[in-house]
């Protein structure tokens, strides 16, 4: 087994230091308090009358969300708390057009917007924490399946920008942007918060959580310090029929953050250190019959021969600077992140048959496949921007990023019970493969953005970005029989231009019409060394057309936002595999058309109703270009998608209805009762695959009939979530029940077949989490 070690920069911050700092800050802040002055959280809520004050940073300057000519959804801290959210999949349904596929544990997450699903290892939705991009822009860090699943604690809000954001946010924002905005330190006023909670899954286990945080002014209302720590337990509910273990998918999330803010007369500085750790002993799953898609062994029962642990550690150091020049502002955003991920899968069905079918042993064995990802990422952006509110608002800037990454793959083979193979097989075949894939990604970009207020009612936004990326990778196979031993390298360079135009017209103070045309791209890169696979995969490009309306009426008690869009996607990156080795190719084209709705109605000052939904028709326009892989005596030809296929995990229809009633009592209690009903239509887990075997160099001479594998269909599912809270003075008690009626459904499906026999053993399904109860108690001082 090969282990790659790398020297860490001097500024790497360990979780233990962050925790210690948070504890010290909270103790100091608590001692400084002489009363309970925290506002009761139960009285806090956002109704339709307050929506016009929601501030977003979509255009990299603070703006009223009602004034931005783009589709933006905002999930606030309060909503995250009410629903007991611990990951993206817990609140995705509140955002029209957002689909999240949780592969069994937080951190194993795929995200798509408006039907722009990831068909390769590169992400289609970019992720930011405040002003810093996180996650890989390249193709060798599993970015599409390992989207950042940041723990919601200490998050002020989550902004989701739908549609390509290539001009301001660059690589990977081809489908949209997910932006976590953290709570800033306060330079005036102290705050301490301590909370505890318990969560229980029906038919499964229990888990506890705890959190603490504090803001502490340090010097003359100029310097503020904020520190926080949180721990969320993951309650297990999957049982393993192989060894009888119960609730195997337990784990925890731990996060800590320290932030400093200097509020000067003309110069503001911010420094933040954030660390998040995810540990999962195994993952949620159910083994299904490959024909009927019914559970083989019962609800929440899976077949696991080898452990499937998952871990992810993220450390982010960010430094921000805002210099007021009088006529404008110079902004700098610097970031360093280090991400380490370990994902081990049970490959017994795929490779266990090597023992009997290839080596001639009396029985099949068991196998595991471990992926290790290690990435250091540095980013630097400078922006020079005009003051807000003038006839012409402008921004120019430059951006640089560098990623130094490593990916390791280790496949092993053992007896069915996990013991080593008998000699001499253990020494020769106990390790099926050891593969190292170090890579680098560098990107340089310049961009400009402007808003011209032609009149009081008409405004025009324009944006351009010119980017270049240079990449290098090496494929190093040192052991095993699954891939040829040796070292190969590859390089690539690309220049990419993106642009956007958005005219906006105000019919009145509360009604705005807008249109938006924008482009985005998903970077390509050097490819794996594989016969029939091109040495480089090109960037995929996307053109988006959108018209929409943002409106408020009835004294701003009602909001109604509607957008209609069409997206043309070209040179789509898709994965093509043969004999267990995969590479990327540019497949073809797809379109996505749809309508999105967000609305809210403040029936009274206490009762608020909401409805959001999306209709999305996202399909392939053509058969993907075939991949021809020459073999001894024949050619293997593969299509990984056929015309009119639906894009994976993209429902035609999804919607969520919400209601909340806030109340106050004469003796000082404040609270709220609310709920949400979520509905997601049927989806497909992939695209159609066609395989053909032909005479060498003669695609018209078929050795056998084509083998066509259709995608699996996931039926529609729905869920009812309820919550309630009450508080007085410095304390608040909240309770919630998610999936109240205990509805069944699948989040993801995947066929599991032998690599040699091609026989489908079962379908691996990730279930909707069963009914979950939770209770939270918070104290604020």
């Amino acid at each position: 087994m090969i282990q790659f070690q790398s020297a860490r920069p001097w500024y790497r911050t360990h979780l233990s230091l962050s925790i210690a700092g948070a504890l010290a800050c909270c103790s100091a802040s608590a001692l400084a308090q002489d009363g309970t002055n925290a506002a009761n959280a139960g009285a806090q809520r956002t109704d339709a009358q307050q929506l016009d004050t929601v501030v977003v940073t979509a255009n990299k300057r603070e703006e009223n969300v009602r004034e931005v000519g783009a589709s933006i959804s905002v999930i606030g801290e309060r909503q995250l708390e009410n629903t007991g959210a611990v990951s993206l999949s817990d609140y995705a349904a509140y955002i029209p057009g957002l689909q999240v596929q949780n592969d069994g544990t937080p951190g194993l997450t795929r995200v798509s917007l408006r039907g722009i699903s990831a068909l390769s290892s590169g992400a289609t939705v970019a992720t930011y924490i405040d002003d810093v991009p996180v996650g890989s822009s390249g193709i060798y860090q599993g970015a599409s399946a390992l989207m950042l699943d940041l723990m919601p604690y200490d998050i002020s809000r989550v902004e989701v920008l739908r549609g390509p954001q290539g001009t301001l946010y660059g690589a990977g924002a081809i489908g949209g942007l997910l932006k976590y905005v953290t709570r800033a330190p306060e330079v005036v006023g102290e705050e301490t918060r301590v909370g505890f909670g318990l969560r229980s899954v029906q038919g499964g286990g229990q888990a506890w959580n705890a959190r603490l945080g504090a803001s502490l002014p340090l010097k003359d209302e100029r310097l503020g310090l904020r520190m926080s720590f949180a721990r969320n337990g993951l309650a297990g509910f999957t049982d393993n029929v192989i060894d009888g273990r119960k609730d195997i998918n337990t784990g925890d999330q731990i996060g800590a953050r320290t932030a400093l803010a200097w509020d000067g007369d003309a110069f503001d500085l911010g420094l933040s250190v954030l660390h998040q750790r995810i540990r999962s002993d195994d993952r949620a799953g159910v083994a299904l019959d490959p024909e009927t898609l019914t559970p083989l062994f019962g609800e929440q029962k899976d077949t696991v021969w080898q452990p499937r642990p998952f871990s992810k550690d993220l450390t982010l150091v960010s430094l921000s600077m805002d210099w007021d020049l009088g006529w404008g502002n110079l902004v700098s955003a610097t970031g360093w992140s280090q991400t380490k991920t370990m994902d081990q899968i049970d490959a017994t069905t795929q490779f266990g048959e090597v023992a009997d079918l290839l080596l001639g042993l009396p029985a099949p064995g068991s196998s595991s496949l471990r992926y290790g990802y290690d990435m250091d990422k540095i980013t630097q952006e400078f922006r020079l921007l005009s003051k807000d509110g003038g006839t012409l608002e402008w921004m120019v800037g430059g951006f640089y990023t560098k990623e130094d990454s490593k990916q390791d793959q280790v496949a092993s083979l053992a007896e069915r019970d996990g013991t080593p193979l008998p000699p001499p097989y253990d020494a020769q075949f106990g390790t099926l493969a050891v593969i190292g894939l170090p890579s680098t990604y560098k990107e340089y970009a310049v961009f400009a953005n402007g808003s011209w207020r032609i009149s009081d009612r008409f405004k025009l936004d324009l944006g351009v970005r010119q980017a270049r990326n240079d990449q290098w990778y090496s494929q190093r196979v040192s052991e095993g029989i699954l891939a040829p031993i040796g070292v190969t390298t590859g390089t690539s360079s690309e220049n990419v231009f993106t642009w956007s135009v958005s005219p906006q017209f105000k019919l009145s103070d509360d009604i705005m019409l807008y249109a938006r045309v924008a482009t985005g791209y998903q970077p390509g890169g050097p490819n794996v060394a594989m016969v029939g696979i091109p040495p480089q995969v090109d960037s995929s490009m996307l053109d988006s057309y959108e018209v929409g309306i943002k409106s408020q009426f009835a004294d701003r008690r009602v909001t109604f936002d509607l957008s209609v869009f069409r997206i043309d996607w070209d040179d789509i990156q898709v994965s093509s595999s043969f004999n267990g080795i995969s590479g990327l190719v540019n497949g073809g084209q797809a379109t996505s058309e749809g309508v999105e709705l967000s609305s809210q109605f403040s029936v009274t000052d206490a009762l608020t109703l909401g409805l959001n939904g999306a209709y999305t028709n996202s399909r392939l326009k053509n058969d993907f270009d075939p991949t021809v892989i020459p073999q001894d005596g024949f050619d293997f030809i593969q299509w990984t998608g056929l015309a009119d296929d639906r894009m994976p995990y993209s429902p035609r229809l999804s919607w969520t209805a919400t209601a909340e009633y806030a109340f106050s009592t004469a003796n000082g209690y404040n609270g709220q009762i609310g709920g949400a009903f979520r509905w997601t239509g049927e989806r497909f887990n992939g695209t159609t695959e066609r395989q053909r075997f032909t005479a060498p160099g003669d695609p018209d001479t078929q050795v056998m009939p084509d083998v066509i594998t259709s995608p699996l269909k996931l039926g529609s599912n729905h869920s009812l979530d309820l919550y309630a809270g009450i508080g007085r003075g410095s304390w608040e008690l909240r309770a919630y029940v998610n999936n109240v009626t205990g509805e069944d459904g699948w989040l993801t499906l995947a066929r599991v077949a032998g690599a040699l026999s091609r026989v489908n053993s079962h379908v691996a399904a990730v279930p909707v989490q069963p009914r979950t109860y939770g209770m939270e108690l918070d104290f604020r001082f």
Side-chain angles (χ1 to χ4, degrees):
M1 181 181 299
I2 295 179
Q3 277 191 323
F4 293 95
Q5 302 290 336
S6 61
R8 299 291 175 231
W10 62 267
Y11 45 83
R12 174 166 182 174
T13 302
H14 295 285
L15 179 63
S16 57
L17 296 179
S18 298
I19 295 173
L23 290 171
C25 177
C26 289
S27 298
S29 182
L31 290 172
Q33 296 290 334
D34 60 0
T36 58
N37 55 7
N40 183 278
Q44 301 174 8
R45 68 183 185 94
T46 299
D47 59 27
Q49 294 170 293
Q50 297 171 307
L51 284 177
D52 60 340
T53 64
V54 175
V55 173
V56 295
T57 53
N59 290 325
K60 296 200 172 181
R61 62 169 77 228
E62 292 188 348
E63 296 177 286
N64 185 336
V65 70
R66 315 296 308 165
E67 303 289 335
V68 180
S71 295
I72 305 173
S73 294
V74 179
I75 302 294
E77 177 185 25
R78 188 64 189 159
Q79 191 168 10
L80 296 172
E81 290 179 347
N82 283 340
T83 57
V86 298
S87 67
L88 266 173
S89 57
D90 292 329
Y91 56 87
Y94 296 96
I95 301 168
L98 175 65
Q99 295 297 322
V100 174
Q101 292 85 55
N102 183 311
D103 286 330
T105 182
L108 277 175
T109 306
R110 288 171 285 170
V111 177
S112 62
L113 278 163
R114 291 186 166 175
I116 307 303
S117 307
L119 297 174
S120 69
S121 54
T124 60
V125 177
T127 306
Y128 270 61
I129 298 179
D130 295 322
D131 231 7
V132 176
V134 292
S136 177
S137 299
I139 59 177
Y140 287 103
Q141 285 291 296
S144 63
L146 300 170
M147 288 287 293
L148 177 65
D149 214 340
L150 193 66
M151 187 163 52
Y153 184 69
D154 222 24
I155 300 296
S156 172
R157 64 184 184 273
V158 180
E159 298 179 12
V160 179
L161 285 64
R162 303 190 291 279
Q165 307 296 324
T167 55
L168 283 179
Y169 293 96
I174 188 170
L177 177 75
L178 176 67
K179 188 173 187 179
Y180 297 93
V181 181
T182 60
R183 296 189 66 186
E186 298 288 345
V187 297
V188 178
E190 300 175 356
E191 178 197 34
T192 301
R193 175 185 177 187
V194 180
F196 308 93
L198 183 67
R199 180 180 296 109
S200 177
V201 180
Q202 185 164 1
Q206 295 81 38
W208 61 273
N209 55 66
R211 54 201 169 270
L212 56 90
S215 276
L216 182 65
L218 296 181
K219 182 180 174 65
D220 301 329
E221 299 186 355
R222 293 287 193 182
L223 183 64
L225 172 67
R226 181 172 185 83
M227 290 190 174
S228 65
F229 166 78
R231 189 264 184 192
N232 279 337
L234 304 176
F237 55 86
T238 291
D239 299 336
N240 184 16
V241 299
I242 300 300
D243 58 16
R245 288 183 298 132
K246 305 289 187 182
D247 306 332
I248 63 174
N249 59 312
T250 57
D252 60 33
Q253 301 165 281
I254 291 179
R257 176 173 172 259
T258 300
L260 281 168
W262 171 262
D263 184 5
D265 292 329
F267 199 84
D268 297 339
L269 282 174
L271 174 65
S272 173
V273 181
L274 178 149
H275 187 96
Q276 175 166 294
R277 188 192 78 183
I278 300 174
R279 294 285 188 274
S280 180
D281 299 324
D282 214 297
R283 58 203 66 180
V286 177
L288 306 182
D289 184 281
E291 300 297 330
T292 65
L293 297 184
T294 58
L296 284 170
F297 307 102
E299 293 184 359
Q300 317 306 335
K301 306 288 185 182
D302 207 353
T303 56
V304 183
W305 284 272
Q306 290 281 351
R308 302 174 298 183
F310 174 81
S311 64
K312 184 170 185 174
D313 289 81
L314 167 69
T315 300
L316 173 65
V317 180
S318 57
L319 176 65
S320 64
M321 180 271 290
D322 190 339
W323 184 12
D324 189 342
L325 303 173
W327 50 269
N329 287 71
L330 177 63
V331 177
S332 171
T334 307
W336 171 82
S337 61
Q338 203 278 333
T339 309
K340 291 179 66 70
T341 306
M342 190 280 292
D343 179 22
Q344 181 168 304
I345 66 174
D346 178 13
T348 296
T349 298
Q350 295 91 326
F351 299 129
E353 60 186 24
V354 169
D356 57 329
L357 298 185
L358 188 62
L359 305 182
L361 294 175
S366 65
S367 176
S368 66
L369 178 56
R370 189 184 73 243
Y371 294 91
Y373 303 93
D374 190 345
M375 181 183 71
D376 285 331
K377 182 182 181 86
I378 297 174
T379 64
Q380 175 62 57
E381 180 171 295
F382 290 106
R383 302 191 300 272
L384 185 63
L385 62 158
S386 65
K387 293 294 185 179
D388 297 341
T391 301
L392 180 64
E393 293 179 348
W394 53 266
M395 176 190 304
V396 294
F399 174 82
Y400 169 78
T401 186
K402 181 184 179 183
E403 300 175 13
D404 291 309
S405 305
K406 296 176 182 178
Q407 180 193 148
D408 302 326
Q409 302 177 18
V410 179
S412 62
L413 181 66
E415 295 274 26
R416 200 66 158 187
D417 61 2
T419 59
L421 295 173
Y425 296 101
D426 182 39
Q428 296 176 344
F429 304 105
T431 299
L432 293 175
V434 175
I435 303 174
L437 297 170
S439 62
T440 62
Y441 178 97
K442 294 181 182 179
E443 182 177 348
Y444 314 82
V446 291
F447 59 89
N449 196 69
S451 295
W452 179 22
R453 301 181 188 276
I454 300 173
S455 69
D456 291 340
R457 293 185 178 273
F458 186 55
K459 185 176 78 166
L460 182 64
D461 288 348
L462 300 170
V464 293
R465 187 185 189 99
Q466 179 67 51
R468 175 182 175 86
N469 68 74
D470 298 313
Q471 300 185 57
W472 170 91
Y473 103 108
S474 176
Q475 179 178 307
R476 303 172 181 178
V477 183
S478 56
E479 295 183 54
I481 61 174
L482 296 184
I485 304 296
V487 177
T488 59
T489 60
T491 61
S492 71
S493 296
E494 286 185 313
N495 294 295
V496 182
F497 179 74
T498 53
W499 56 272
S500 65
V501 178
S502 177
Q504 302 151 42
F505 184 75
K506 299 195 73 171
L507 298 178
S508 68
D509 289 343
D510 295 324
I511 302 177
M512 181 181 75
L513 298 176
Y514 71 90
R516 185 172 188 264
V517 182
T519 64
Y521 77 102
Q522 181 186 34
N527 227 334
V528 298
M530 178 179 171
V531 176
I533 297 295
Q536 176 179 334
V537 60
D538 296 331
S539 290
S540 59
M541 303 296 296
L542 179 150
D543 298 323
S544 173
Y545 311 89
E546 176 182 351
V547 294
I549 182 172
K550 295 186 176 183
S551 63
Q552 294 178 312
F553 47 93
D555 291 331
R556 295 185 175 177
R557 287 187 172 274
V558 178
T559 65
F560 182 87
D561 297 348
L562 186 71
S563 58
V564 180
F565 65 87
R566 176 186 169 90
I567 295 172
D568 293 319
W569 193 6
D570 197 13
D571 283 336
I572 300 173
Q573 295 175 13
V574 295
S575 177
S576 183
S577 63
F578 182 70
N579 284 343
I581 301 178
S582 297
L584 297 181
V585 298
N586 293 106
Q589 300 176 322
T591 61
S592 183
E593 301 171 325
V595 180
E596 295 168 343
L597 166 70
S598 296
S599 62
Q600 197 160 308
F601 177 30
S602 188
V603 181
T604 68
D605 290 341
L607 177 62
T608 303
L609 305 178
L611 176 67
N612 71 62
Y615 171 83
T616 308
N617 185 15
S618 183
R619 293 183 176 275
L620 305 188
K621 289 181 64 175
N622 59 288
D623 292 354
F624 279 161
D625 293 339
T627 303
V628 181
I629 304 176
Q631 300 293 304
D632 291 336
F634 67 93
D635 284 349
F636 173 76
I637 305 178
Q638 179 169 261
W639 292 260
T640 55
L642 302 182
D644 211 38
D645 278 350
R646 293 253 300 272
M647 291 295 284
Y649 295 104
S650 177
R652 275 203 184 97
L653 183 64
S654 59
W655 57 273
T656 299
T658 62
E660 180 174 293
Y661 180 79
F663 62 89
S664 299
T665 65
N667 52 0
Y669 288 94
N670 299 287
Q672 69 282 329
I673 300 172
F677 183 84
R678 302 176 285 169
W679 191 90
T680 302
E682 67 178 27
R683 297 140 290 149
F684 291 89
N685 77 326
T687 52
T688 304
E689 185 177 279
R690 173 187 286 165
Q691 297 177 340
R692 178 177 295 172
F693 296 88
T694 71
D698 187 359
D700 296 325
T701 304
Q702 295 181 231
V703 176
M704 63 180 69
D706 288 356
V707 177
I708 297 179
T709 305
S710 299
L712 299 172
K713 183 167 73 172
L714 296 81
S716 62
N717 63 72
H718 61 271
S719 178
L720 174 64
D721 305 331
L722 299 175
Y723 62 85
I726 191 169
R728 182 181 181 183
S730 63
W731 65 269
E732 182 190 15
L733 179 65
R734 300 188 305 275
Y736 60 88
V737 183
N738 293 334
N739 193 5
V740 173
T741 57
E743 300 295 330
D744 296 326
W746 312 123
L747 299 177
T748 60
L749 295 177
R751 290 187 176 93
V752 183
L756 299 178
S757 67
R758 309 285 183 179
V759 174
N760 289 322
S761 165
H762 64 283
V763 168
V766 176
V768 172
Q769 184 160 310
R771 184 183 298 113
T772 301
Y773 308 87
M775 185 168 291
E776 307 287 337
L777 179 62
D778 275 296
F779 297 92
R780 299 174 188 260
F781 308 99

